[in-house]
Amino acid sequence: MNVGIVGSGYVGTTVAACLAHLGHDVTNVDVDRSVVEAVEDGRAPVDEPRLDELLAEYGGNRLRATTDYDALSDAELIFVALPTPSNEDGSVDTSVVEAGAESLGPVLAERGDYPTVVVKSTVVPGTTADLIRPALERTSGAVAGEDFGVAVNPEFLREGSAVDDFLSPDKLVFGTDDDDRAEDALCGVFAPLVDAEDPPVVSTGTREAEMIKYANNAFLATKVSLINELGNICKEHGVDAYEVAEAIGLDDRISERFLRSGLGFGGSCFPKDVAAIIAAARAKGYDPELLQAAMDVNDKQPRRLLSLVDRHVDVAGERVAVLGLAFKPHTDDVRNSRAIDVIRGLRERGAEVVAYDPVASENMRDYFPDLTYADSAAAALDGAAAAVVATDWPEFADLDSEFDAMATPVVVDGRRVVTRREGLVYEGLTW
Ligand code: UGA
């Protein structure tokens, strides 16, 4: 099929490359010329495993990129994968998606072949029907449901495994409002994936599809906060939360996944999406106390870690190593990383922070330009009065004699990755 993708961030590029891989002719539109050039040259504009190889294979041939919306005039399906940042109050800033929809208007005008616009961006229930669809109609002069289709197809990719997640999905969600042609178009574009992987396909309305994405992320984020709350209680009782988690995870209804307690969730999705659905609920007069508590527990975890440091060392004027800056391992993304709060707290206490991350230091410089960034964990630990672990990079599990170079061997582990050993004052956040 001839497919368009508006937006070439990590979702847009992954979807574009994977749809080319499934055999479609894909055109990616992005305002950023450097992104367009990268795709045309067969280079991935974002850092994701396997994306480079897909771009090298399809970029510039089956996958084209341009800044010009007119290139979508033959597209049968157009996915909108534009960012939905947060407003101050946590609600979603829809201005970018709305502007994208307005730019699509001329592409939909006088077509006669019923193209379908598919919203992939994460937007609160009703946004597609009440904002995007009217914007498309206003700028095209065409009528949704008569001249073109509208659908919602949320994405459940994780950073760091986006390509694999796309090509082996747990589920596909197709939201349309009684629009069989739009749904057929979605079935068509995903047919090679459905034939190969046989994922469950959920056919539903646009509002439901929008809500499914929030419910998915809110559930997982709350699961992390619940195990962290239980973990905090465990710690107070001298109980190892990981032993408890392993046991409760044996109950199918709970499942062992997403039960790693510690510093909490970060990244560009969970904090933003939970805040957005809280704001959307409040806008309707409903106060979502449990989701707010999930956010509060998440905010609490860095403070708990810092209080464990305080228990052993007065860090004022002391060197403190922060191991791990990325919001999770295998990514250089530091957005909403718990390490940010940890570093702030240490600096408020007057510590001289020396940070190390295998790939994320450059990105953290935007937040803390004047921090000392070490180029190895060993260098960060050298002479430190304490070390805190903020990201579960596997390489931290191999640290051993490196701790001997610390001034005082205090290690507070926020991710259960360092191995407890003789000679180390070791504190786990929830164990
Ligand atoms: C998340 C969802 O997992 C994806 O399904 C979704 O598509 C994506 O958001 C999105 O909305 O775009 P991602 O942000 O890449 O994906 O990261 P996750 O791997 O889910 O981890 C999120 C955070 O939770 C990380 O900070 C991680 O360290 C933390 N976490 C995760 C825990 O603290 N404990 C766990 O057991 C699991």
Side-chain angles (χ1 to χ4, degrees), residues 86-161:
S86 301
N87 293 315
E88 280 283 290
D89 64 353
S91 63
V92 180
D93 174 357
T94 47
S95 58
V96 183
V97 228
E98 193 176 5
E102 285 170 349
S103 303
L104 278 177
V107 172
L108 302 175
E110 294 164 23
R111 282 279 294 258
D113 64 340
Y114 207 82
T116 295
V117 175
V118 185
V119 177
K120 261 226 178 281
S121 303
T122 303
V123 288
V124 299
T127 307
T128 299
D130 301 339
L131 186 91
I132 298 176
R133 176 183 164 144
L136 293 169
E137 290 186 323
R138 200 169 57 236
T139 49
S140 65
V143 180
E146 284 178 22
D147 305 313
F148 67 92
V150 174
V152 174
N153 169 229
E155 198 48 77
F156 303 98
L157 310 175
R158 287 163 300 172
E159 272 183 52
S161 55

Side-chain angles (χ1 to χ4, degrees), residues 10 155-159 213 216-217 220 224 258-261 264-270 273 327-328 392 415:
Y10 105 97
E155 198 48 77
F156 303 98
L157 310 175
R158 287 163 300 172
E159 272 183 52
K213 167 70 185 190
N216 218 93
N217 274 0
L220 290 171
V224 172
F258 258 69
L259 283 185
R260 289 184 57 81
S261 59
F265 57 82
S268 64
C269 302
F270 283 179
D273 290 353
F327 84 95
K328 66 175 184 180
D392 32 346
R415 296 291 183 186

Side-chain angles (χ1 to χ4, degrees), residues 35-268:
V35 165
V36 167
E37 275 165 27
V39 173
E40 281 286 294
D41 288 353
R43 288 178 286 117
V46 292
D47 199 17
E48 265 300 313
R50 291 192 62 196
L51 208 49
D52 268 329
E53 70 189 67
L54 293 183
L55 263 297
E57 193 167 350
Y58 305 114
N61 50 75
R62 207 143 82 203
L63 166 56
R64 306 303 306 262
T66 171
T67 55
D68 185 5
Y69 277 78
D70 287 345
L72 303 176
S73 56
D74 292 325
E76 297 159 75
L77 262 106
I78 302 166
F79 289 91
V80 176
L82 289 168
T84 47
S86 301
N87 293 315
E88 280 283 290
D89 64 353
S91 63
V92 180
D93 174 357
T94 47
S95 58
V96 183
V97 228
E98 193 176 5
E102 285 170 349
S103 303
L104 278 177
V107 172
L108 302 175
E110 294 164 23
R111 282 279 294 258
D113 64 340
Y114 207 82
T116 295
V117 175
V118 185
V119 177
K120 261 226 178 281
S121 303
T122 303
V123 288
V124 299
T127 307
T128 299
D130 301 339
L131 186 91
I132 298 176
R133 176 183 164 144
L136 293 169
E137 290 186 323
R138 200 169 57 236
T139 49
S140 65
V143 180
E146 284 178 22
D147 305 313
F148 67 92
V150 174
V152 174
N153 169 229
E155 198 48 77
F156 303 98
L157 310 175
R158 287 163 300 172
E159 272 183 52
S161 55
V163 171
D164 289 342
D165 287 347
F166 185 93
L167 294 174
S168 313
D170 288 341
K171 58 182 172 287
L172 295 173
V173 176
F174 299 162
T176 61
D177 292 327
D178 300 322
D179 186 340
D180 292 343
R181 284 180 286 179
E183 182 158 345
D184 287 348
L186 274 169
C187 290
V189 84
F190 284 103
L193 194 56
V194 172
D195 290 347
E197 296 284 321
D198 199 23
V201 177
V202 180
S203 289
T204 186
T206 58
R207 281 182 166 73
E208 287 73 12
E210 290 164 331
M211 188 63 200
I212 287 166
K213 167 70 185 190
Y214 280 106
N216 218 93
N217 274 0
F219 199 101
L220 290 171
T222 305
K223 188 171 184 185
V224 172
S225 275
L226 178 54
I227 197 63
N228 282 342
E229 177 113 293
L230 292 167
N232 293 341
I233 299 171
C234 286
K235 181 74 180 176
E236 297 301 328
H237 286 83
V239 170
D240 181 343
Y242 278 71
E243 272 188 43
V244 173
E246 200 178 326
I248 63 172
L250 295 171
D251 188 323
D252 278 351
R253 294 167 301 175
I254 295 174
S255 120
E256 63 185 343
R257 297 182 64 192
F258 258 69
L259 283 185
R260 289 184 57 81
S261 59
L263 262 179
F265 57 82
S268 64

